[in-house]
Amino acid sequence: MKFVSWNVNGLRACMGKGFIDRLNEQNADFFCIQESKMHKGQAVVETPGFEQHWNSAIKKGYSGTVTFVSEALQPIAVTNDFPGQSGEGRTITVEMPGFYLINSYTPNAQPELARIDYRMKYEDDLRAYMQELDKKKPVILCGDLNVAHNEIDLKNPGPNRGNPGFSDEERGKMTELLSAGFVDSFRYLYPDVKDAYSWWSYRANARARNIGWRIDYFIVSGRLADCIKEAGILPDIMGSDHCPVFLELDDEKLQALV
């Protein structure tokens, strides 16, 4: 089973850069996007073979998530947001027979950490929500989580220490999440791989120079770790300042957990 996650930084703009082709080429069962920046119906988004599940922000042109689910699958339920959060279109949860898939666009702390209190509450609410779901069946969290957890996860950790996405507070919340029984799938397979990034500034030719950050993740319940076949980053796919990340799970091992 294959999952893909991508912050498209505006779905309408990304569609003009080949989004539908990228969606189809990945042959994914689930394709989650963040920062759609639109409401359903503001543009024609035709995705044959996929059901569309939208959560748009009240504020137009802001935030937003969409989860595309293969029509071959039958979700038990699809819900938007979670206790303590609503209005910004930041999460979609798809319940499947063997797991929950949460698509999250975690709030940016903003310059000078102006929104750090909101960010911390979001982190705490999300972790509590995941822990409750995990009591029922395994959880897969994907999306732009807006944090580089460790120094290996960004090119220039020194100058960025304390900045949004690499503050002690944000990194600490990721540590809390992983300590609560969850696994960073990419680092589970590749603990020492360097220069693996999923976001690059548009400034100073950063992407071509690979001066980036790894802030897009697949986080899974610990008991799913043995099901991970592959977890990776697709830096050659253009269309946004982020690139897609993906997760592949072993179907037989996953089925054995049901």
Side-chain angles (χ1 to χ4, degrees):
M1 185 165 282
K2 185 176 182 180
F3 307 78
V4 174
S5 176
W6 190 12
N7 180 323
V8 295
N9 193 13
L11 180 55
R12 283 173 290 184
C14 196
M15 286 178 61
K17 302 173 184 176
F19 171 77
I20 299 300
D21 289 338
R22 305 294 87 75
L23 171 69
N24 293 327
E25 288 167 1
Q26 287 304 307
N27 194 31
D29 298 286
F30 301 87
F31 199 110
C32 301
I33 69 168
Q34 303 85 43
E35 212 168 357
S36 60
K37 294 184 178 180
M38 64 176 285
H39 288 72
K40 187 175 183 180
Q42 283 188 286
V44 176
V45 183
E46 295 183 350
T47 56
F50 289 92
E51 293 182 353
Q52 302 178 12
H53 301 279
W54 291 68
N55 188 9
S56 301
I58 295 172
K59 179 181 177 182
K60 289 188 176 180
Y62 178 74
S63 187
T65 46
V66 187
T67 298
F68 300 95
V69 181
S70 169
E71 290 180 347
L73 301 174
Q74 295 183 339
I76 295 171
V78 180
T79 56
N80 290 346
D81 304 316
F82 52 83
Q85 297 292 329
S86 64
E88 295 198 353
R90 293 193 177 274
T91 60
I92 301 170
T93 301
V94 176
E95 180 182 358
M96 298 298 295
F99 58 86
Y100 293 97
L101 171 66
I102 304 173
N103 176 6
S104 173
Y105 177 38
T106 300
N108 190 300
Q110 299 296 323
E112 307 297 326
L113 302 184
R115 217 179 183 209
I116 192 67
D117 290 343
Y118 179 76
R119 168 67 179 265
M120 295 295 97
K121 183 179 188 305
Y122 183 94
E123 297 272 13
D124 290 338
D125 290 345
L126 177 60
R127 186 176 65 256
Y129 176 61
M130 291 173 63
Q131 288 177 295
E132 283 302 308
L133 293 183
D134 191 51
K135 294 176 182 178
K136 303 172 187 176
K137 61 184 81 172
V139 176
I140 302 165
L141 168 69
C142 72
D144 175 4
L145 304 189
N146 258 319
V147 62
H149 187 210
N150 293 310
E151 291 190 355
I152 195 174
D153 296 314
L154 72 166
K155 189 68 171 182
N156 295 312
N160 283 294
R161 190 173 303 280
N163 286 339
F166 199 59
S167 67
D168 291 343
E169 295 94 329
E170 293 162 298
R171 297 171 67 196
K173 289 301 181 185
M174 176 61 82
T175 297
E176 286 186 50
L177 178 60
L178 299 180
S179 298
F182 298 95
V183 174
D184 175 351
S185 61
F186 182 78
R187 286 294 172 214
Y188 178 79
L189 295 182
Y190 306 109
D192 302 317
V193 169
K194 298 180 180 179
D195 300 322
Y197 308 126
S198 63
W199 174 81
W200 304 262
S201 170
Y202 281 129
R203 301 175 181 174
N205 206 26
R207 187 161 188 167
R209 298 162 63 201
N210 200 27
I211 300 174
W213 300 47
R214 188 177 73 94
I215 60 175
D216 300 87
Y217 295 79
F218 275 95
I219 306 290
V220 302
S221 295
R223 60 190 184 280
L224 285 181
D226 188 52
C227 300
I228 299 172
K229 289 177 62 177
E230 183 60 283
I233 304 172
L234 302 169
D236 293 334
I237 293 182
M238 310 299 284
S240 169
D241 50 350
H242 294 250
C243 74
V245 297
F246 72 91
L247 171 70
E248 293 182 10
L249 297 180
D250 186 291
D251 289 340
E252 291 185 3
K253 290 182 179 179
L254 184 62
Q255 186 64 32
L257 294 176
V258 177

